Amino acid sequence: MNFLRGVMGGPSAGPQPSGADTIQKLCDRVASSTLLDDRRDAVRALKSLSKKYRLEVGIQAMEHLIHVLQTDRSDSEIIGYALDTLYNVISNDLEEEEQEENSAKQVDDLGSQFTEIFIKQQENVTLLLTLVEEFDFHVRWPGVKLLTSLLKQQGPQVQQIILVSPMGVSRLMDLLADSREVIRNDGVLLLQQLTKSNAAIQKIVAFENAFERLLDIITEEGNSDGGIVVEDCLLLLQNLLKNNNSNQNFFKEGSYIQRMKPWFEVGDDNCGWSAQKVTNLHLMLQLVRVLVSPTNPPGATSSCQKAMFHCGLLQQLCTILMATGVPADILTETINTVSEVIRGCQTNQDYFASVNAPSNPPRPAIVVLLMSMVNERQPFVLRCAVLYCFQCFLYKNQKGQGEIVSTLLPSTIDATGNSVSAGQLLCGGLFSTDSLSNWCAAVALAHALQENATLKEQLLRVQLATSIGNPPVSLLQQCTNILSQGSKVQTRVGLLMLLCTWLSNCSIAVTHFLHNPANVPFLTGQIAENLGEEEQLVQGLCALLLGISIYYNDNSLENYRKEKLKQLIEKRIGRENFIEKLGFISKHELYSRAAQKPQPSFSSPDHMMFDHEFTKLVKELEGVISKAIYKSSEEDKKEEEVKKTLEQHDNIVTHYKKVIREQDQELEELKQRINTLTSQNEQLQATVTQQVSQIQQHKDQYNLLKVQLGKDTQHHNSHGDTFQMNGIQTEEVCKLKEELEEWKNKNELLQGQLREKDSVIEKLNSSQSEMGTTEQSSQTSKSGGFEHSNELQKELEMLRSQIQLQSAEISKLQMENQKLQVMNTAADPVLGDSGATAAASSELEGRLEQEIKELKSEVKALSEEKESLKQDLDSSSSTVAILQDEKSKLQREVAESKKEQDDLLVLLADQDQKISALKIKLKDLGVPVEDEDDTESGDQGDEDEDGDEEEQD
């Protein structure tokens, strides 16, 4: 123990050994000592030295520490010391003072080198995964930290080992369910390192219910108001979702997008924005952007955008966008997030167009954002975000493009000047003195014209009042005037991009541009000059604009036909030189950056030169313009002829499509008419069958009355019977008269309906006979309609015959009714004396009342008996429920007692093992120890002797 005291810094008699010697002795003690306490003390000493003497401990002790992890797993204390020591050796997370003592290179290299040594044997990582499963805090926590450090140093290699290990990822997922927050939080950090750039592990972690657990942790910690734990969870969610389409789809299908909405409920009081809250909200916005990123598959992005609208997430983001007191970086990121949520989604774009800022009077959110974009006092990053938002609002949104352009047209401009429109803001930015505002406004206006030839033509109508007294100038002319004035490079690049977008695929715009005689000489002069590197970009764009004027030229201007423009290029510039200048655009470094992603991200305003959509246009036109320059006039004529032929063909196809569409509509109308006629026919058949059944019933009643009347005439001396039968006959005769009147009315209605159907069928026949000149497909379908109408006519003829038969039967009934009336009048004199019949009827009524009373009393008794039985059933069911509760309580008590017995048995077994181990140690130390069996036998013998003595006594 004196040796250990010296190592730990206590007083010692002899000279102090060096660090390396001490570590060597400690390693020998760990390797050779048989007592667990000695090994534990040695490992503890190595842990205390591992930070200061990291290299020596790592070289000499790593093998012994791994051996301790393998052999001494029963002792959690020594395992914890060993894991902490390995963590200190492998981890590069040293304190500043320790970093100053060690060289920077050594700190960087040591961790990766020791990690490589540790993972060389894959069993070491598997052993570490097993130790992480232990519930003991002193084992699990250092194990998590060590595994995290290994992943930081050699991530891909450790990921592969964990991936092939049985249930390796699932074991680590259990850390998120640990009730101890320290282990849970470090488990989140471990999973961050584990899921970096590994799609297979990301999928496993996602399907192990990671989304549910992480969102629960974020909610428990207070959403955006939470601490650094929320930040760690959000970073892990980003790892799981970014560039992983499977996990994104799983996140959407699991309805987890709906759980993101409370994150952005920041409230009206936005004064308390801590640094952690800003960081959390920034990461939450980035997570939304991960789900709707333009780089994702279009279908996945679209479904996420729709889900965000339906759950109210987009509305919540727009609330933050228009709120006051929001930090600038959060506002910028919110604008970028809203941009990608609405990009290419018509529903979301329409909603965004309806959002108003809380001002007096209310202004559209688009107008407020554009005011920030053209304001040079706003931060550069915020202006870029607004431009991106405007681009996303117009992306594949022809309705929005039309609304923006309409604010520039003369008929829609507000004459009062009370409100500023989006078009006025764009024009103001386009011609301001700030070059960045010029560029942003030009690019925004170009997006309003993207792939929309109609709006390109309408924009030619825009007139601008330059100064008082001068006539108005068109917008196109004003753009070319500013170009020729030699403004800043950024301004000219923006205007040239706008003009190229405007003139592409629009021959009328090209004609208007060429109509100004100064434009072509200016372009050729710019291209022909040999200027510096900054002007090369402008030269390339001028070459592109001139090429567009050739390629989309309809030869309507005699002086600027395609052939003449090509000759002009050949004389003043040269074809090769022209193609070389055109190639300056795609070779520029800023062009390559802009082509990578839609969002405009620039390190400084000077680098703001190209727009992403414009790079697509350049890529599309560069090749065709190069070919058009070298084409001869004959090839141009052939191409024009081919274009005309294609246009004619397209016109013919559209004409036939229109004819087919009209025929389809007519067929649908005919089918609907046939369906209505069929339903009416079915209804008529149902009424006829109903009438037939009723007529049959009346026939039966009539026959019955006829028989009864015959009996009455034969036995007219019995006055009571004759009176009763005649009373019945008079009532039935009245009913029959009323029903006969009803049948007559119904018969007339049916005949009127039949006449209407006949007229409809005749009209259909006449219309169908006139439509005989259509195509074969429509003829076949209409012939089917004729056949169906013929069938309807046959069915209607059958109905007519049935109704005629019914009318004949009704006339027979009327004749027989008249006979009955004659007989009834003949029998009336016989109805003289009615006293006996009245007495008989009163006697019958008395009997009936008595029987009714008896039946009511029986029913009452039965109902009382039923109520008593119901009460007995309720009481028995309540007793059954009480007994079931008592039974479940008893079962729980039995289970608890069994569990307690099992725990006691486990404790007794552990105690026996500890006693036996202590006895072995005592025996090793030379202390005499009696075995339990000997002691028990001795005790038993004493007891026997005592018993014998008692018997003798």
Side-chain angles (χ1 to χ4, degrees):
M1 298 304 292
N2 289 333
F3 166 73
L4 287 173
R5 205 176 292 117
V7 168
M8 299 304 292
S12 61
Q16 294 292 328
S18 65
D21 294 339
T22 305
I23 292 166
Q24 182 61 47
K25 289 177 182 178
L26 288 172
C27 291
D28 294 340
R29 179 67 61 89
V30 173
S32 60
S33 180
T34 56
L35 291 177
L36 180 62
D37 291 339
D38 289 347
R39 294 200 303 276
R40 188 189 303 120
D41 292 337
V43 174
R44 187 191 299 120
L46 284 171
K47 174 190 170 185
S48 64
L49 294 170
S50 58
K51 290 186 178 180
K52 187 174 181 180
Y53 299 101
R54 182 182 175 192
L55 178 62
E56 291 81 0
V57 173
I59 292 172
Q60 299 180 38
M62 182 175 284
E63 186 178 349
H64 301 296
L65 294 171
I66 294 171
H67 184 69
V68 167
L69 294 178
Q70 293 171 345
T71 57
D72 290 330
R73 288 184 57 186
S74 59
D75 187 75
S76 61
E77 195 173 354
I78 192 172
I79 293 293
Y81 292 147
L83 291 170
D84 283 332
T85 308
L86 287 170
Y87 173 74
N88 293 337
V89 168
I90 288 171
S91 175
N92 284 333
D93 300 334
L94 300 176
E95 297 179 0
E96 293 181 1
E97 297 176 359
E98 294 163 354
Q99 284 186 4
E100 289 172 3
E101 293 175 5
N102 298 299
S103 64
K105 186 177 179 181
Q106 186 182 7
V107 169
D108 292 338
D109 293 343
L110 277 179
S112 60
Q113 289 175 3
F114 285 135
T115 303
E116 196 171 346
I117 294 168
F118 185 85
I119 67 172
K120 194 172 183 180
Q121 298 293 328
Q122 294 188 6
E123 295 82 4
N124 296 339
V125 180
T126 309
L127 174 64
L128 189 55
L129 289 172
T130 309
L131 292 172
V132 168
E133 278 189 294
E134 296 287 338
F135 186 75
D136 194 324
F137 181 82
H138 298 290
V139 176
R140 195 171 208 183
W141 188 39
V144 170
K145 292 195 295 182
L146 177 58
L147 191 54
T148 306
S149 184
L150 292 173
L151 285 162
K152 284 181 181 177
Q153 302 295 338
Q154 299 285 342
Q157 293 88 333
V158 180
Q159 284 175 341
Q160 195 59 34
I161 295 169
I162 294 173
L163 194 58
V164 299
S165 175
M167 299 292 289
V169 179
S170 301
R171 295 179 193 176
L172 300 179
M173 283 299 299
D174 293 337
L175 297 171
L176 295 181
D178 201 303
S179 58
R180 296 160 293 191
E181 289 190 4
V182 177
I183 293 178
R184 184 200 69 184
N185 298 344
D186 281 349
V188 173
L189 296 175
L190 169 60
L191 290 171
Q192 275 185 30
Q193 299 297 328
L194 181 65
T195 54
K196 274 186 179 178
S197 306
N198 193 309
I201 292 178
Q202 288 167 3
K203 288 179 184 178
I204 296 171
V205 171
F207 282 98
E208 288 283 346
N209 207 20
F211 293 138
E212 184 78 29
R213 295 183 186 181
L214 291 172
L215 292 172
D216 288 341
I217 293 171
I218 291 171
T219 306
E220 290 170 10
E221 294 292 326
N223 294 330
S224 60
D225 294 321
I228 197 169
V229 179
V230 173
E231 179 183 347
D232 294 334
C233 290
L234 291 168
L235 289 170
L236 177 54
L237 284 170
Q238 280 192 19
N239 283 355
L240 294 174
L241 292 172
K242 198 168 186 178
N243 299 323
N244 194 317
N245 300 329
S246 173
N247 282 2
Q248 288 174 8
N249 188 50
F250 181 65
F251 190 84
K252 180 186 69 69
E253 295 295 333
S255 300
Y256 296 119
I257 290 176
Q258 287 81 339
R259 295 188 60 178
M260 296 169 75
K261 184 189 173 185
W263 294 356
F264 305 102
E265 293 175 355
V266 294
D268 298 330
D269 185 16
N270 295 327
C271 56
W273 287 87
S274 63
Q276 188 61 55
K277 182 174 181 178
V278 170
T279 304
N280 290 344
L281 205 55
H282 201 272
L283 289 171
M284 288 169 177
L285 291 167
Q286 286 182 350
L287 193 64
V288 175
R289 292 184 65 186
V290 165
L291 294 170
V292 292
S293 172
T295 57
N296 294 344
T301 301
S302 176
S303 58
C304 288
Q305 287 171 332
K306 290 175 183 175
M308 288 175 185
F309 175 75
H310 290 304
C311 75
L313 180 58
L314 174 60
Q315 293 84 331
Q316 201 67 44
L317 291 173
C318 290
T319 304
I320 297 175
L321 195 67
M322 295 291 109
T324 55
V326 179
D329 52 348
I330 292 296
L331 182 60
T332 303
E333 191 63 25
T334 305
I335 293 171
N336 287 327
T337 307
V338 171
S339 306
E340 293 184 352
V341 173
I342 67 173
R343 187 177 188 269
C345 181
Q346 189 66 53
T347 307
N348 295 4
Q349 288 167 339
D350 291 343
Y351 170 76
F352 184 69
S354 67
V355 175
N356 287 323
S359 59
N360 193 14
R363 287 178 176 170
I366 297 170
V367 172
V368 176
L369 291 173
L370 287 177
M371 290 170 73
S372 301
M373 187 185 75
V374 298
N375 186 355
E376 55 185 308
R377 289 177 293 180
Q378 292 292 341
F380 171 65
V381 182
L382 180 65
R383 296 173 76 180
C384 290
V386 173
L387 176 62
Y388 184 45
C389 185
F390 191 71
Q391 291 173 353
C392 292
F393 170 67
L394 297 177
Y395 183 71
K396 293 184 179 178
N397 184 10
Q398 292 192 353
K399 179 182 175 184
Q401 288 177 324
E403 290 172 354
I404 297 297
V405 172
S406 67
T407 59
L408 286 164
L409 299 177
S411 58
T412 57
I413 293 175
D414 187 8
T416 60
N418 292 330
S419 61
V420 181
S421 67
Q424 290 170 338
L425 287 170
L426 290 176
C427 282
L430 197 62
F431 307 122
S432 72
T433 55
D434 179 31
S435 61
L436 188 59
S437 297
N438 301 152
W439 191 90
C440 290
V443 170
L445 201 53
H447 275 264
L449 303 175
Q450 202 81 36
E451 298 178 0
N452 200 324
T454 307
L455 294 181
K456 290 177 183 178
E457 295 175 8
Q458 287 186 7
L459 201 64
L460 296 170
R461 296 164 45 202
V462 176
Q463 300 289 319
L464 302 174
T466 54
S467 59
I468 300 171
N470 294 329
V473 181
S474 69
L475 177 62
L476 184 66
Q477 183 61 45
Q478 184 65 15
C479 291
T480 55
N481 291 342
I482 295 173
L483 269 178
S484 60
Q485 289 171 6
S487 52
K488 291 182 180 179
V489 174
Q490 193 174 40
T491 302
R492 283 183 287 162
V493 168
L495 289 171
L496 285 167
M497 286 197 297
L498 171 60
L499 290 171
C500 289
T501 307
W502 195 348
L503 269 60
S504 63
N505 204 20
C506 183
S507 301
I508 299 172
V510 171
T511 306
H512 277 72
F513 178 76
L514 296 175
H515 191 71
N516 186 351
N519 288 340
V520 174
F522 168 74
L523 292 178
T524 53
Q526 286 285 319
I527 299 166
E529 288 183 9
N530 291 320
L531 303 172
E533 290 185 2
E534 291 184 356
E535 295 293 331
Q536 284 183 353
L537 193 55
V538 177
Q539 286 183 318
L541 291 168
C542 287
L544 180 65
L545 184 57
L546 187 57
I548 289 170
S549 302
I550 294 171
Y551 186 72
Y552 291 106
N553 194 342
D554 59 356
N555 294 326
S556 57
L557 294 175
E558 185 62 32
N559 294 332
Y560 295 105
R561 295 173 65 84
K562 284 185 179 182
E563 193 59 36
K564 289 187 177 182
L565 289 173
K566 289 179 188 178
Q567 291 173 2
L568 187 65
I569 289 172
E570 181 66 29
K571 289 178 183 178
R572 295 192 180 180
I573 304 168
R575 291 181 181 177
E576 290 78 8
N577 192 20
F578 179 84
I579 299 299
E580 182 184 356
K581 297 290 174 72
L582 184 62
F584 284 164
I585 303 173
S586 55
K587 292 176 183 176
H588 203 279
E589 181 185 358
L590 297 176
Y591 173 89
S592 303
R593 288 184 191 175
Q596 290 174 1
K597 57 181 181 178
Q599 183 182 358
S601 55
F602 306 99
S603 56
S604 68
D606 296 334
H607 293 162
M608 209 168 188
M609 289 293 176
F610 284 110
D611 172 56
H612 179 75
E613 291 297 326
F614 181 73
T615 58
K616 294 181 181 177
L617 182 68
V618 172
K619 194 174 182 180
E620 178 187 346
L621 294 178
E622 189 176 6
V624 295
I625 288 173
S626 301
K627 290 179 182 177
I629 295 298
Y630 284 102
K631 277 182 183 176
S632 62
S633 58
E634 294 178 357
E635 290 175 344
D636 284 337
K637 287 179 181 177
K638 287 181 181 178
E639 190 174 346
E640 288 294 330
E641 290 176 359
V642 170
K643 282 184 180 178
K644 287 180 181 178
T645 309
L646 288 172
E647 286 177 359
Q648 291 175 358
H649 177 71
D650 291 339
N651 292 333
I652 293 168
V653 169
T654 51
H655 172 68
Y656 278 113
K657 282 181 179 178
K658 187 178 179 182
V659 170
I660 291 169
R661 201 177 295 115
E662 290 175 354
Q663 290 176 354
D664 288 338
Q665 290 177 356
E666 291 175 0
L667 284 171
E668 286 298 326
E669 290 176 359
L670 285 171
K671 285 179 181 178
Q672 289 176 0
R673 287 183 183 177
I674 289 168
N675 289 331
T676 52
L677 287 172
T678 348
S679 61
Q680 289 175 1
N681 184 19
E682 289 173 356
Q683 289 175 1
L684 288 171
Q685 283 182 347
T687 51
V688 166
T689 52
Q690 189 178 1
Q691 289 171 2
V692 167
S693 64
Q694 288 178 356
I695 288 168
Q696 187 63 39
Q697 287 177 3
H698 290 306
K699 277 183 180 179
D700 296 339
Q701 290 177 0
Y702 173 73
N703 291 329
L704 184 62
L705 289 170
K706 196 174 179 181
V707 170
Q708 289 176 353
L709 273 174
K711 289 180 180 179
D712 290 340
T713 50
Q714 290 176 4
H715 307 282
H716 59 275
N717 294 327
S718 57
H719 299 292
D721 295 340
T722 308
F723 172 77
Q724 192 174 2
M725 286 299 296
N726 284 329
I728 293 169
Q729 284 174 5
T730 53
E731 291 174 0
E732 292 294 331
V733 166
C734 292
K735 286 181 182 178
L736 284 171
K737 284 181 180 179
E738 291 173 358
E739 287 175 356
L740 283 171
E741 290 295 324
E742 288 177 1
W743 286 118
K744 285 179 182 178
N745 295 331
K746 287 182 181 179
N747 190 12
E748 290 174 358
L749 286 171
L750 287 172
Q751 287 178 354
Q753 289 178 358
L754 284 172
R755 285 193 291 273
E756 289 177 0
K757 300 301 176 292
D758 287 338
S759 64
V760 170
I761 289 168
E762 288 174 0
K763 288 179 182 177
L764 283 172
N765 288 330
S766 61
S767 64
Q768 288 168 353
S769 62
E770 290 172 1
M771 295 169 64
T773 59
T774 56
E775 291 184 348
Q776 190 67 29
S777 61
S778 63
Q779 286 177 356
T780 54
S781 60
K782 288 182 179 179
S783 64
F786 292 152
E787 292 174 1
H788 202 73
S789 61
N790 290 331
E791 291 175 1
L792 286 173
Q793 283 182 346
K794 290 178 182 178
E795 289 176 356
L796 288 170
E797 290 294 330
M798 291 170 65
L799 286 172
R800 284 179 188 165
S801 60
Q802 289 179 1
I803 287 169
Q804 288 175 359
L805 291 172
Q806 289 172 9
S807 60
E809 289 176 354
I810 287 167
S811 61
K812 288 180 183 178
L813 286 170
Q814 287 175 348
M815 295 290 293
E816 290 176 354
N817 187 19
Q818 291 175 0
K819 291 179 181 179
L820 284 171
Q821 287 177 354
V822 171
M823 292 173 68
N824 190 15
T825 52
D828 282 339
V830 188
L831 305 174
D833 189 8
S834 61
T837 56
S841 63
S842 62
E843 186 180 355
L844 285 172
E845 287 177 359
R847 287 179 184 176
L848 285 171
E849 287 177 359
Q850 188 177 357
E851 288 179 359
I852 287 166
K853 286 179 182 178
E854 291 176 357
L855 288 171
K856 282 183 179 178
S857 61
E858 288 179 3
V859 168
K860 187 176 181 181
L862 287 171
S863 63
E864 290 175 355
E865 188 177 353
K866 181 183 175 184
E867 287 294 329
S868 64
L869 288 171
K870 190 176 181 181
Q871 290 176 0
D872 295 340
L873 182 63
D874 292 339
S875 62
S876 62
S877 62
S878 63
T879 53
V880 168
I882 292 166
L883 290 172
Q884 284 180 349
D885 291 339
E886 291 179 354
K887 181 182 176 183
S888 61
K889 287 180 182 176
L890 290 171
Q891 286 176 349
R892 283 198 297 272
E893 290 176 359
V894 169
E896 289 175 358
S897 62
K898 282 184 180 179
K899 188 177 180 183
E900 289 176 358
Q901 288 177 1
D902 293 339
D903 293 341
L904 288 171
L905 289 172
V906 171
L907 289 171
L908 287 172
D910 291 342
Q911 190 175 3
D912 289 341
Q913 288 178 0
K914 288 180 181 178
I915 290 168
S916 60
L918 289 170
K919 284 181 179 179
I920 291 166
K921 288 181 182 178
L922 289 171
K923 284 180 181 179
D924 292 341
L925 293 170
V927 178
V929 178
E930 292 182 358
D931 292 336
E932 289 182 359
D933 297 337
D934 298 339
T935 308
E936 288 176 1
S937 61
D939 294 340
Q940 187 66 36
D942 294 339
E943 289 175 2
D944 294 341
E945 288 175 2
D946 294 339
D948 294 338
E949 288 176 0
E950 288 175 0
E951 287 176 1
Q952 289 174 4
D953 292 338

